[in-house]
Amino acid sequence: MGSQSALNPSMNSGQAVELSLIAPTYNEKENIVPLVERVHKALSQYNYELIIVDDNSPDGTAQLANSLSSKYPLKVIVRTTERGLASAVVAGFSQAGGQVLGVIDADLQHPPEAIPALLDAIRGGADVAIGSRYVEGGGIEGWSTKREIISIGAKTIARLLLSSVKGIKDPLAGFFLFRREVIEGAVLAPTGYKILLEVLVKGNASQVVEVPYIFKERERGKSNLTFNEQLNFLKHLSHLAWFEGKIKRFIKFCIVGASGFCVNLGLLAIFVEVVGMHKVWAQIPSYQISILTNFMFNEFWTFSDRRTPGLKSFLIRAVKFNLVSQVGWGINISVYYVALNAAGIYYIVSQIIAIAVATMWNFFSNLIWTWRQKQGEALAEGG
Ligand code: GDD
Ligand code: MN
């Protein structure tokens, strides 16, 4: 690798580095010695390097780490102009010489003893091996119910929003390994702190394996993640959704919906004025036909990339779209009714809320049901 010469020569000279493990740190002085020792013990069988990326911590984390670098295969990067977990990890990647790259918290909440199992998964063919709290055998030690609920909520949103993450039990993990090819050519944006999402969405992994571990309680020092980071998380998610093309798809879907509104209104006028139908009955065909035109636009525009060939599957999608739309119509009326009568909201505002809720329902139901993606394609699509 090109950065080989920059590696600490004491341990990896001559041989290729199998694993570069990145540990971002901010005020982790008390954890550095046990971290370095435990990593070294756990990886005694492997040719590895540990890269500590410190943002000039006032407690002197970097100085302490530097003092260990003659004894261990340890590289210390100190950044003075930037702050942030994700950007620190990305900086670490750029200096890593290993065939496999990994990320671990420095506070020992991620037990270094679990790394060999992750490495085994990679050796067994996985592109990404995630230390997972949410597969059998994994877990979390000492979290409050509140933190657990927030975590599950965040995880659910991410899985719903991002196709690359759909089947993954612990997409927000901060403990994972991957083959370096996964991010070759990818431009990782250092926003947010969920660097795994970045790797899964922008990288080109096709096989992702989750290996259980127990997320430990922090024994020393304190967490750095603030409320601001939670907001950043939402920003990061929308950035990734945009990257995956999901937001473009949603905009197309809304444009089609607006076209359906025009079709509905135009036909209503024609059926009443030209055909001479009763005003109540005329509503039915004009609404049903607008669903049909919506379906056609979505089939050949919004979701054109997800069409499977054959008349039968086309008809199945048409029926599904129709069902989704009928339920959406029911949702529209119900939300309008509740907003208007139970919440006493102004009728125009009530209708806007109702349309918004029904549109979300329609979009996501059609996304995950009508034009469902086959398993496996989801991960390939991210690249
Ligand atoms: N360089 C650098 N710069 N490192 C940072 C910064 C920063 O601004 N902020 C935090 N870190 C380092 C910490 O020193 C620690 O090693 C690691 O990043 C995790 O930070 P914590 O402050 O301990 O975060 P946490 O325990 O709340 O969150 C962890 O758990 C999440 C799972 O719920 C993180 O590992 C997340 O990545 C993980 O998703
Ligand atoms: Mn922590």
Side-chain angles (χ1 to χ4, degrees):
M1 290 295 117
S3 52
Q4 195 79 345
S5 58
L7 292 177
N8 185 306
S10 54
M11 296 283 178
N12 353 301
S13 51
Q15 258 176 300
V17 177
E18 181 171 14
L19 169 67
S20 296
L21 193 62
I22 319 291
T25 57
Y26 195 77
N27 287 343
E28 301 288 1
K29 191 179 181 188
E30 299 160 282
N31 291 311
I32 287 299
V33 173
L35 173 76
V36 171
E37 283 175 350
R38 280 174 61 182
V39 165
H40 195 62
K41 197 158 170 233
L43 294 177
S44 57
Q45 306 298 313
Y46 304 88
N47 194 21
Y48 79 98
E49 59 173 347
L50 177 61
I51 302 180
I52 289 182
V53 187
D54 185 70
D55 289 350
N56 210 12
S57 303
D59 75 348
T61 302
Q63 288 81 340
L64 177 61
N66 264 321
S67 73
L68 299 170
S69 61
S70 56
K71 209 175 145 206
Y72 298 95
L74 172 65
K75 205 156 123 185
V76 183
I77 300 172
V78 181
R79 306 191 309 162
T80 50
T81 51
E82 257 184 294
R83 228 345 266 283
L85 174 45
S87 64
V89 172
V90 173
F93 288 161
S94 71
Q95 299 292 313
Q99 290 308 303
V100 177
L101 310 186
V103 184
I104 188 169
D105 283 356
D107 58 6
L108 297 168
Q109 291 194 273
H110 300 151
E113 295 71 27
I115 302 168
L118 293 172
L119 211 43
D120 279 349
I122 300 274
R123 283 180 169 179
D127 296 309
V128 179
I130 302 174
S132 178
R133 298 164 288 179
Y134 299 113
V135 291
E136 178 126 27
I140 296 168
E141 221 171 57
W143 263 16
S144 64
T145 317
K146 186 182 151 202
R147 174 129 197 216
E148 223 160 307
I149 289 172
I150 291 175
S151 174
I152 289 172
K155 179 179 78 175
T156 308
I157 297 173
R159 288 175 54 174
L160 209 64
L161 214 58
L162 306 172
S163 344
S164 324
V165 159
K166 212 163 64 183
I168 293 165
K169 299 260 169 22
D170 197 355
L172 307 182
F175 186 27
F176 57 96
L177 264 50
F178 59 94
R179 291 177 200 281
R180 74 178 302 131
E181 299 84 61
V182 169
I183 58 163
E184 231 144 55
V187 180
L188 302 183
T191 47
Y193 63 105
K194 296 301 177 188
I195 190 72
L196 174 61
L197 287 183
E198 196 68 22
V199 170
L200 290 174
V201 172
K202 296 188 176 170
N204 56 9
S206 51
Q207 206 196 332
V208 179
V209 170
E210 295 187 68
V211 179
Y213 84 99
I214 309 273
F215 189 74
K216 300 280 183 200
E217 252 177 294
R218 199 186 241 273
E219 285 170 20
R220 306 169 207 86
K222 63 176 185 358
S223 172
N224 291 298
L225 299 181
T226 57
F227 177 69
N228 217 0
E229 291 286 2
Q230 310 294 327
L231 288 184
N232 261 337
F233 170 65
L234 294 178
K235 237 166 81 182
H236 190 203
L237 277 187
S238 58
H239 165 84
L240 292 174
W242 179 263
F243 182 88
E244 276 193 345
K246 199 138 298 167
I247 290 178
K248 242 183 260 169
R249 205 195 285 283
F250 181 66
I251 292 170
K252 286 182 178 178
F253 188 80
C254 290
I255 293 173
V256 171
S259 83
F261 174 79
C262 298
V263 169
N264 190 344
L265 219 61
L267 286 177
L268 183 68
I270 290 171
F271 283 131
V272 172
E273 306 298 336
V274 182
V275 184
M277 273 177 84
H278 189 280
K279 282 174 186 146
V280 172
W281 297 124
Q283 216 276 334
I284 297 173
S286 53
Y287 181 70
Q288 294 304 326
I289 292 172
S290 74
I291 289 184
L292 217 65
T293 57
N294 276 0
F295 170 72
M296 294 304 276
F297 284 132
N298 282 322
E299 169 81 5
F300 291 103
W301 189 45
T302 318
F303 293 101
S304 60
D305 58 317
R306 290 193 178 191
R307 271 164 44 218
T308 46
L311 180 65
K312 193 179 155 205
S313 78
F314 173 81
L315 291 176
I316 289 175
R317 285 194 294 277
V319 170
K320 283 180 171 177
F321 183 81
N322 204 287
L323 288 175
V324 167
S325 303
Q326 308 299 346
V327 175
W329 184 70
I331 289 174
N332 193 333
I333 292 181
S334 317
V335 172
Y336 178 69
Y337 184 85
V338 171
L340 190 67
N341 291 317
I345 298 171
Y346 181 59
Y347 79 100
I348 296 285
V349 178
S350 295
Q351 182 58 80
I352 290 173
I353 296 171
I355 289 175
V357 174
T359 302
M360 294 311 273
W361 154 266
N362 284 338
F363 180 69
F364 280 107
S365 309
N366 285 315
L367 182 74
I368 64 183
W369 190 49
T370 312
W371 283 278
R372 181 180 55 208
Q373 211 168 16
K374 302 243 171 46
Q375 269 306 328
E377 270 170 38
L379 284 166
E381 191 195 53

